[in-house]
Amino acid sequence: MRDMDEAGQKKKKSFKMPTSFTILFLITIVIAIFTWIIPAGQYDVTEAGDFISGTYQTIESNPQGIWDVLAAPFAGLTGNELTEGAIQISLFILVLGGFLQVVTVTGAIDAGIGAAIRANKDNMTRLIWILMGIFALGGSTYGMSEETVPFYALLIPMMVAVGFDAMVGIAVVLVGSGVGCLASTVNPFATGIASSMAGIGLGDGIVPRVIMLVVMYIIAASYVTRYAKKVQKDPSNSLIADQYESDKEKFKIKDDIDEITPKQRSVLGLFLFTFLIMVISLIPWSEFGITIFQDIHNWINSIPILGSLVGQSVIPFGEWYLGEITVLFFLMGIVIAFVYGMGEEDFVNNFIDGAKDLLSVALICAVARGIQVIMNDGQITATVLHWGEMALSNLSSGFFIILTYLFYLPMSFLIPSTSGLAAATVGIMAPLGDFAGVAQSLVITAYQSAAGIVNLITPTSGVVMAALAIAGIEITTWWKFMWKLILMLAAASLIILVLFAVI
């Protein structure tokens, strides 16, 4: 008996949570099972593809089988007629990996980070507040999400080097941009699409959103800073203490970093310039009435030879997305290699090595998108929306906004794309607010805040899984770090929503 008990204890201690790939695949199986249980349905749609409230009808079921589950990750990568593929984000990640490796081998990042650490060694907590504020503004104004992936490789070594852990590096970027998206003010991919679906202006309801942005930022930055100080004081307080020492080696910055050379300074300048161009290109300038980039684009195209030389497929800053910034990183990788004097063969080998390092990150995005493929192909999306429509009608303003928020929590898990969720649901949900005396703009704010909460932790988010893969952190460990913060953010969101619903 004693031997059996010892064996059982040993077996219990050796249990390890499955990898993120396995968790995502298990979720795909569960969703596929739901397609056999939940009735299939559809809504009538407008010419723009918006669902028309009150037109839901059941249709013939399309349950997803074993082959569908096996094929889902591949359809998640390439896309199909019902679901957009993750190919753009996956290719972006691979090219980004190549770009980062080209920059890394020059030593410019080590030299730059070393200089930053020496300059801010006694003020790293202040730097956390500054960086999280920048990312929050990016998330709130233009939905900064996938675009944050490059910053993890930049910030994790810095945070580890000063005595924090990789979790802090992840949190600064992911939580910073996440609370910004949660409290989107003029984010065209969330607020813009949702407002369009509801037929209201982008600026409607901006006051509660600005208040929410400030409150969420303060809560999040305080939480991350407090954790960072605990880890710096005693590394055993780290939630990833078991990999603390290995991370110091993995994300090591050379102790004897030489003064930055002129070539490294040029590389670092081009590196930062690349990110500046990325940010400028992604801000929807036309939404703010700024047309300078469109004017420059039109002027270049008006010159026959110059326009053709630059390329007819080039689009102006403000309209760029993953496809364009993928080309940007590829181009700047070549430029940096040339400036540094890197040979052609070395450049190709370094670029491929970098892409190889992020291959698992690129693949996990496809697996995550496969969940949405199963749901859409199984024709259960409209049914879930219909259940929400029935549950939320004819309620008081306070209860309505609370239930709207609660409704969007599972919906955001099933549809992690904020723009996709807005397009699929707000056209139905926003008009329901009229029956409860709740402004449609506040319904949109509820949708954004709920989606923002879920997208900070959901394994169906390619951004979350990519960030954790870069740091080597399991999703369950991330949940341990986030659960208290999630409760605080959710409580603050509900308080703000209810206050503006009843006044």
Side-chain angles (χ1 to χ4, degrees):
M1 285 293 291
R2 184 178 179 181
D3 292 341
M4 291 179 64
D5 290 341
E6 290 178 352
Q9 290 177 0
K10 185 175 181 180
K11 184 176 181 180
K12 185 176 181 180
K13 289 181 180 179
S14 64
F15 173 77
K16 186 178 180 181
M17 284 296 296
T19 65
S20 299
F21 281 97
T22 302
I23 291 174
L24 288 172
F25 196 71
L26 290 174
I27 292 173
T28 305
I29 294 173
V30 171
I31 298 298
I33 293 173
F34 283 161
T35 65
W36 290 78
I37 301 171
I38 298 175
Q42 66 181 18
Y43 280 93
D44 292 342
V45 296
T46 64
E47 291 183 0
D50 305 330
F51 291 149
I52 300 175
S53 181
T55 64
Y56 172 81
Q57 55 186 317
T58 57
I59 59 175
E60 184 178 353
S61 295
N62 186 34
Q64 301 294 285
I66 296 174
W67 183 264
D68 301 308
V69 171
L70 294 173
F74 307 103
L77 178 64
T78 60
N80 59 24
E81 62 274 11
L82 296 178
T83 307
E84 183 180 358
I87 185 67
Q88 278 199 329
I89 179 63
S90 294
L91 282 177
F92 168 61
I93 289 171
L94 292 176
V95 172
L96 169 66
F99 169 82
L100 290 175
Q101 180 65 14
V102 170
V103 175
T104 298
V105 296
T106 67
I109 291 182
D110 278 351
I113 292 177
I117 291 173
R118 286 192 292 269
N120 296 280
K121 196 166 186 178
D122 299 325
N123 297 293
M124 288 303 291
T125 53
R126 183 179 66 182
L127 187 62
I128 289 175
W129 278 79
I130 293 172
L131 291 174
M132 289 189 71
I134 293 172
F135 287 120
L137 285 174
S140 183
T141 55
Y142 68 92
M144 193 177 195
S145 182
E146 290 95 342
E147 305 85 2
T148 62
V149 173
F151 293 100
Y152 296 109
L154 184 64
L155 289 178
I156 292 175
M158 181 185 295
M159 297 302 168
V160 171
V162 297
F164 300 149
D165 61 9
M167 188 77 77
V168 176
I170 292 294
V172 167
V173 184
L174 186 56
V175 176
S177 61
V179 295
C181 292
L182 183 157
S184 292
T185 50
V186 292
N187 173 8
F189 306 110
T191 315
I193 292 176
S195 298
S196 176
M197 295 297 102
I200 62 177
L202 181 63
D204 291 355
I206 197 169
V207 173
R209 292 168 194 156
V210 170
I211 293 174
M212 187 173 287
L213 175 62
V214 174
V215 172
M216 299 303 160
Y217 162 66
I218 292 174
I219 292 173
S222 300
Y223 186 88
V224 174
T225 301
R226 185 164 56 250
Y227 172 82
K229 287 181 177 179
K230 286 173 58 180
V231 173
Q232 191 176 43
K233 183 178 180 181
D234 183 0
S236 66
N237 289 324
S238 171
L239 291 176
I240 50 173
D242 59 328
Q243 64 185 65
Y244 186 80
E245 292 300 325
S246 61
D247 277 353
K248 287 172 67 176
E249 184 63 30
K250 178 180 178 181
F251 300 110
K252 184 178 181 180
I253 300 172
K254 297 176 184 177
D255 295 328
D256 55 342
I257 299 176
D258 298 327
E259 289 295 323
I260 191 168
T261 66
K263 281 188 176 181
Q264 288 177 330
R265 194 180 301 277
S266 298
V267 168
L268 196 57
L270 289 169
F271 179 76
L272 297 175
F273 176 73
T274 304
F275 285 96
L276 177 63
I277 292 297
M278 180 186 74
V279 171
I280 292 174
S281 69
L282 291 168
I283 296 175
W285 299 104
S286 60
E287 295 285 338
F288 309 108
I290 299 174
T291 62
I292 182 172
F293 296 113
Q294 181 67 58
D295 294 339
I296 293 174
H297 176 263
N298 293 339
W299 175 74
I300 292 175
N301 281 340
S302 68
I303 304 174
I305 297 178
L306 182 60
S308 299
L309 183 63
V310 172
Q312 296 298 324
S313 62
V314 176
I315 58 178
F317 287 172
E319 298 179 16
W320 282 29
Y321 194 49
L322 289 174
E324 289 73 27
I325 61 175
T326 299
V327 176
L328 170 67
F329 277 101
F330 176 67
L331 171 63
M332 294 308 295
I334 295 174
V335 172
I336 286 173
F338 176 78
V339 169
Y340 189 72
M342 189 180 298
E344 177 269 338
E345 185 176 355
D346 287 339
F347 166 73
V348 172
N349 290 336
N350 287 325
F351 195 91
I352 292 175
D353 287 343
K356 189 191 309 178
D357 288 341
L358 292 187
L359 179 60
S360 63
V361 182
L363 290 177
I364 209 166
C365 295
V367 177
R369 190 63 60 87
I371 297 172
Q372 191 174 344
V373 169
I374 290 294
M375 186 176 176
N376 290 342
D377 288 359
Q379 301 289 344
I380 63 174
T381 302
T383 301
V384 175
L385 294 178
H386 174 64
W387 290 346
E389 180 185 3
M390 294 298 98
L392 295 176
S393 58
N394 301 319
L395 295 174
S396 66
S397 57
F399 279 117
F400 176 85
I401 203 66
I402 291 173
L403 289 180
T404 298
Y405 182 87
L406 295 177
F407 164 75
Y408 271 112
L409 291 176
M411 289 306 303
S412 301
F413 171 77
L414 295 172
I415 309 176
S417 167
T418 52
S419 57
L421 183 59
T425 65
V426 172
I428 299 172
M429 298 301 298
L432 294 178
D434 294 334
F435 297 102
V438 175
Q440 294 192 21
S441 61
L442 196 63
V443 173
I444 293 173
T445 304
Y447 132 74
Q448 292 179 164
S449 56
I453 287 283
V454 172
N455 285 336
L456 283 170
I457 58 173
T458 176
T460 63
S461 168
V463 176
V464 171
M465 303 312 294
L468 297 180
I470 291 172
I473 297 174
E474 291 296 332
I475 185 69
T476 50
T477 307
W478 177 246
W479 289 340
K480 289 179 183 178
F481 172 77
M482 288 294 294
W483 75 269
K484 291 181 182 178
L485 177 59
I486 291 297
L487 291 179
M488 289 188 283
L489 294 175
S493 297
L494 283 171
I495 290 172
I496 294 172
L497 288 169
V498 171
L499 284 176
F500 278 92
V502 300
I503 60 176

